[in-house]
Amino acid sequence: MSNDKLVPVCTFPLSPRIVDMRCLAPVQTIKPSSLPDQIFPRFQSLIQKARLSLLILSLAYLCSACNASEAESSGKEAGKKRAVPVVVATAAQKTIPIQLSATGTVEAYSTVSVKSQVGGQLTGVYFQQGQNVKKGDLLFKIDSRPLQAALMQANAAKAKDLAQVKQAQANVLQAIAQVNQAKANVVKDKSQATNANVQARRYATLLKQGAISKEQAEQYQTTANAQQATVKADQGGVANATAAVAAAQADVQNAQAVVVADEAAIANAKVQLSYSSIYSPIAGRTGSLKLNQGNLVQANATDPLITISQIRPIYVNFSIPQRLLPDIKKYSANNGKLAVDALPAKDAGHPVRGELTFVDSGVNTQTGTIQLKGTFANAEERLFPGQFVNVVLKLSEEPNAITVPSQAIQSGQKGQFVYVVKPDKTAEMRPITVGDTVGNETVIKQGLKPGEQVVTDGQFNLVPGATVQVKPEVGSRGAGGVGGAGEAGEAGEQGSRGRKVNS
């Protein structure tokens, strides 16, 4: 026989759970005759040591793998038997409002900048900064002595001009008397002229008969002509007296016009005097006081003395995407004025109720939104100009909607789902189709029936078919109730279907 020996080679699988040591068939034949005599004994010793080391390591590995496998299998069995504590809620069927949600800005119903229309020293301030005032309340007083003097001067001018009116009226009466006298003179002189004409004709007849001299007849004719001239002069005097009457009447009218101007000056002086006392033009809240008592006030200065904002009622200005405008028109036509709720920060549980009163006539081309305004009575003054609030516009209602708490909804690779607790206290993963989110509740369009129980807390510890243990809801808001589903549902509805907080 040959002195060649076979060296076995052992292989081990890489699996940490199953160890199978097998000595395979010889894969290499070492011929000692081919090695030098001084090398072969050392080589044979090294092979034996390696075989012993591998054997020891294989046994240790096998023991640890067996222990790990037993621990894992025992843990799985214990997990299947142990119930997972969860919080559940019942799917309810109720009427859900259809709403739009947005962020709005509170605006004053009206804002008035109070300025002085006359100059002078500020002698009185009759309110406190930030105070609510009523319409007609006294705010400021300005030194009125110069204005009172101007009023007295205007009254004196009127009195003087009234005297001139009376004088002009007396002149009219005198002119009328002169007209009457002139007319009387005309009548008298006409009579005399008629008599003179008769005498002249008679003496002219006597002259023809030769009873008188020519000189006598001419004398009577001259007297008749003189009387005719006197009548004409009297008639001219009547015309002059009549013209004097007209002139006197014109003087009366001029004097009366001056009196009217005086009355206008008096009225203006009274108005200027009234400006020395400044009253509130509206009911509202005062702002910051710009000038204190004792300062000099300029008429119509650039800066107002005070700004008053009317906050009862008050506006809330907000915008919605233009794609929602048809919904606004549709529900407004069906329901009339739409209700609007404003939710102030840190007081969202008590919304302020108002109604939609304004829809802008055009869309903002830069933002693609349209501006709306709601009017609020603001009786409790919870809304202030410039305040940011959440706005909920109620469009309509959806009856018989199935709702669950928003934190029950989870998102997976195949979409949204909830864990339903079956009567045997096991969990079932149920795919769903969600609708609107209203407050902390979400409408389920498909996948659930009224009365079914869904898990709202503890979902992350569940697997399909796991046994559950229902625990009370109080003080047990876990990660499954807050993360992901509730926030995603609320974010998905922002700008389209809003949220409602019950008062």
Side-chain angles (χ1 to χ4, degrees):
M1 293 182 62
S2 172
N3 293 328
D4 298 340
K5 294 183 179 181
L6 299 178
V7 180
V9 178
C10 297
T11 62
F12 304 92
L14 297 178
S15 173
R17 298 185 180 182
I18 302 175
V19 178
D20 185 12
M21 183 178 69
R22 294 173 296 173
C23 292
L24 302 179
V27 295
Q28 184 178 5
T29 302
I30 302 175
K31 297 180 180 181
S33 60
S34 63
L35 299 174
D37 294 337
Q38 67 273 22
I39 298 177
F40 179 73
R42 185 179 299 174
F43 180 73
Q44 189 174 13
S45 176
L46 291 175
I47 292 176
Q48 290 177 353
K49 291 180 179 180
R51 291 177 60 187
L52 181 59
S53 300
L54 289 174
L55 180 60
I56 294 172
L57 292 173
S58 299
L59 292 175
Y61 194 45
L62 177 61
C63 293
S64 63
C66 291
N67 292 334
S69 178
E70 290 178 0
E72 182 177 358
S73 60
S74 62
K76 281 189 175 181
E77 292 176 359
K80 290 182 180 179
K81 296 178 181 179
R82 185 173 61 248
V84 179
V86 295
V87 177
V88 299
T90 304
Q93 190 172 25
K94 60 179 68 175
T95 299
I96 296 297
I98 301 175
Q99 303 171 150
L100 302 181
S101 178
T103 300
T105 305
V106 181
E107 295 181 356
Y109 193 79
S110 62
T111 301
V112 177
S113 297
V114 179
K115 297 182 179 182
S116 176
Q117 294 181 280
V118 294
Q121 186 181 20
L122 187 61
T123 58
V125 178
Y126 300 92
F127 67 97
Q128 298 293 330
Q129 301 180 79
Q131 173 186 339
N132 286 338
V133 295
K134 299 178 181 179
K135 183 178 180 180
D137 285 353
L138 179 63
L139 302 178
F140 303 98
K141 281 192 73 69
I142 298 173
D143 186 9
S144 61
R145 290 174 296 177
L147 301 174
Q148 289 175 345
L151 177 60
M152 294 175 62
Q153 185 177 2
N155 285 325
K158 178 183 177 181
K160 183 187 71 172
D161 292 333
L162 282 174
Q164 291 180 351
V165 168
K166 292 180 179 179
Q167 182 64 40
Q169 290 174 345
N171 294 335
V172 169
L173 295 177
Q174 183 180 2
I176 292 174
Q178 291 176 355
V179 169
N180 294 333
Q181 181 63 41
K183 289 181 178 179
N185 293 335
V186 169
V187 172
K188 182 188 69 172
D189 292 338
K190 279 187 176 181
S191 298
Q192 292 177 356
T194 302
N195 184 45
N197 288 332
V198 171
Q199 292 293 334
R201 284 196 297 273
R202 184 170 61 248
Y203 278 93
T205 303
L206 292 174
L207 178 61
K208 292 180 180 180
Q209 295 174 357
I212 60 172
S213 63
K214 182 179 179 181
E215 182 180 357
Q216 289 178 331
E218 289 177 353
Q219 183 179 359
Y220 281 101
Q221 184 62 43
T222 301
T223 301
N225 292 337
Q227 288 297 325
Q228 290 293 334
T230 300
V231 170
K232 290 182 179 180
D234 291 340
Q235 291 175 342
V238 171
N240 291 335
T242 303
V245 170
Q249 290 175 342
D251 291 340
V252 170
Q253 293 177 352
N254 291 335
Q256 289 175 343
V258 173
V259 170
V260 172
D262 292 337
E263 291 175 347
I266 291 172
N268 181 62
K270 289 181 178 179
V271 170
Q272 296 298 317
L273 181 60
S274 69
Y275 289 157
S276 63
S277 297
I278 302 176
Y279 300 90
S280 176
I282 61 172
R285 174 165 294 181
T286 59
S288 176
L289 183 62
K290 304 301 181 182
L291 287 178
N292 295 316
Q293 183 174 344
N295 287 304
L296 186 63
V297 178
Q298 295 181 355
N300 298 315
T302 303
D303 295 330
L305 297 174
I306 197 71
T307 299
I308 302 176
S309 299
Q310 185 177 358
I311 60 176
R312 291 189 299 176
I314 201 167
Y315 287 130
V316 173
N317 179 15
F318 61 100
S319 299
I320 63 170
Q322 59 180 342
R323 59 184 174 81
L324 300 177
L325 184 58
D327 293 339
I328 299 291
K329 293 182 177 180
K330 179 180 70 175
Y331 291 112
S332 295
N334 295 337
N335 304 329
K337 289 189 176 181
L338 303 179
V340 183
D341 285 342
L343 288 74
K346 298 184 180 180
D347 195 14
H350 300 82
V352 183
R353 176 57 58 89
E355 60 183 18
L356 183 67
T357 55
F358 171 77
V359 178
D360 203 354
S361 59
V363 176
N364 189 326
T365 57
Q366 296 181 351
T367 61
T369 59
I370 187 166
Q371 183 185 19
L372 286 76
K373 283 186 180 181
T375 302
F376 297 78
N378 200 27
E380 299 178 358
E381 296 186 2
R382 295 169 56 201
L383 302 178
F384 296 91
Q387 181 182 12
F388 289 98
V389 294
N390 292 324
V391 180
V392 177
L393 175 61
K394 183 178 179 182
L395 301 178
S396 184
E397 293 181 343
E398 181 180 351
N400 302 323
I402 300 174
T403 63
V404 298
S406 299
Q407 61 265 30
I409 301 174
Q410 302 293 308
S411 297
Q413 295 180 351
K414 296 183 180 180
Q416 293 176 308
F417 65 93
V418 294
Y419 278 107
V420 178
V421 178
K422 298 193 296 184
D424 60 357
K425 299 300 182 182
T426 59
E428 176 189 356
M429 189 173 68
R430 183 83 58 82
I432 57 172
T433 302
V434 300
D436 301 332
T437 297
V438 180
N440 295 323
E441 295 184 333
T442 299
V443 177
I444 306 300
K445 293 186 176 181
Q446 292 181 355
L448 281 180
K449 296 180 180 179
E452 290 187 308
Q453 290 186 328
V454 296
V455 178
T456 60
D457 190 4
Q459 300 98 317
F460 289 167
N461 298 324
L462 291 178
V463 293
T467 303
V468 300
Q469 177 186 0
V470 179
K471 64 179 182 179
E473 181 180 2
V474 178
S476 61
R477 286 182 61 85
V482 178
E487 296 178 356
E490 185 175 349
E493 296 301 323
Q494 183 67 25
S496 58
R497 292 291 188 265
R499 49 192 301 271
K500 176 183 179 183
V501 180
N502 295 325
S503 58

